[in-house]
Amino acid sequence: MDDELPSVAGALIRNPVPGDHPRVLAAMDRWWAGSGGKERALVLPRFYFQHFTGGSELVEHDGTVIAFLIGFLSQSRPGESYVHFSGVSPDYRGRGIAQHLYTRFFAYSVRNGRSVVRAVTPAGNAGSYAFHTGIGFVAEPGPAELDGRPYQPDYDGPGFDRVTFLRRLDDLTA
Ligand SMILES: CC(C)(COP(=O)(O)OP(=O)(O)OC[C@H]1O[C@@H](n2cnc3c(N)ncnc32)[C@H](O)[C@@H]1OP(=O)(O)O)[C@@H](O)C(=O)NCCC(=O)NCCS
């Protein structure tokens, strides 16, 4: 059954299904119109909505997607899970929605025996950096720094510099 999102009356949280893929891409196009919506959509191929749905969630309000988190349990590292991408509609930011989705993903990770959550973000994304560190992620030390944010040059390929984060879940397992 869908869960309610506490901060927005009538908004419901559920795992995504393949039919949500075009709706999420369309939402991203709207949210980031003129500032890379199409490019960001490339990070979300349909397979995430087919094969990575157990830990991923989206939020709908009045029939519209307003937020999502795509994450999964690592296949290769039995103690870890990974958040691939998350987004909140600009109209709904600052209400703790992303924090709520991450908190649910942390709980899902703990239930499945994970003790660390990992995530990465572009080195230039100061807002994402503030968000991640604000909810308990730590940036791993890097050989380079931008405005005080350590990052790994060329982490995702030439020119794709990334901050690599980890969030230990000890506070949730104790
Ligand atoms: C980053 C993002 C997901 C945050 O969503 P949100 O629902 O507005 O975040 P929340 O309201 O849950 O914020 C949680 C905390 O992070 C802080 N925070 C969130 N966005 C922030 C920003 N841009 N700058 C500074 N702090 C920020 C909030 O102030 C809050 O801290 P508080 O509890 O001390 O008040 C949203 O801004 C977004 O979709 N950005 C574009 C996509 C992106 O960068 N995704 C993340 C990487 S995949």
Side-chain angles (χ1 to χ4, degrees):
M1 206 180 70
D2 298 351
D3 289 334
E4 289 184 13
L5 179 75
S7 57
V8 180
L12 294 175
I13 308 172
R14 63 171 171 80
N15 297 120
V17 295
D20 291 318
H21 181 241
R23 301 177 63 219
V24 170
L25 295 195
M28 289 166 76
D29 231 7
R30 285 194 307 276
W31 300 350
W32 295 305
S35 66
K38 288 226 181 332
E39 288 77 3
R40 289 187 218 212
L42 291 175
V43 304
L44 279 188
R46 182 179 287 262
F47 70 79
Y48 282 108
F49 294 75
Q50 297 166 321
H51 300 288
F52 293 83
T53 57
S56 302
E57 294 194 306
L58 63 77
V59 185
E60 280 180 302
H61 187 222
D62 291 337
T64 302
V65 177
I66 64 165
F68 63 85
L69 180 154
I70 303 294
F72 51 87
L73 305 171
S74 172
Q75 295 202 349
S76 315
R77 301 180 181 180
E80 299 188 6
S81 61
Y82 187 86
V83 177
H84 170 60
F85 198 68
S86 66
V88 174
S89 161
D91 297 339
Y92 289 85
R93 289 192 189 157
R95 301 192 201 184
I97 296 177
Q99 179 159 22
H100 188 71
L101 291 180
Y102 276 75
T103 301
R104 289 169 64 95
F105 184 76
F106 296 161
Y108 167 79
S109 300
V110 168
R111 282 200 303 281
N112 285 279
R114 312 294 156 134
S115 54
V116 169
V117 180
R118 290 187 184 272
V120 308
T121 206
N125 192 340
S128 174
Y129 186 92
F131 168 72
H132 280 93
T133 53
I135 62 168
F137 280 91
V138 174
E140 294 183 295
E145 226 178 75
L146 176 64
D147 298 333
R149 304 188 301 272
Y151 70 87
Q152 322 293 329
D154 302 329
Y155 183 82
D156 269 334
F160 294 103
D161 304 337
R162 299 287 183 257
V163 178
T164 61
F165 294 108
L166 65 87
R167 206 296 189 184
R168 297 192 191 284
L169 301 174
D170 318 358
D171 55 325
L172 303 175
T173 49

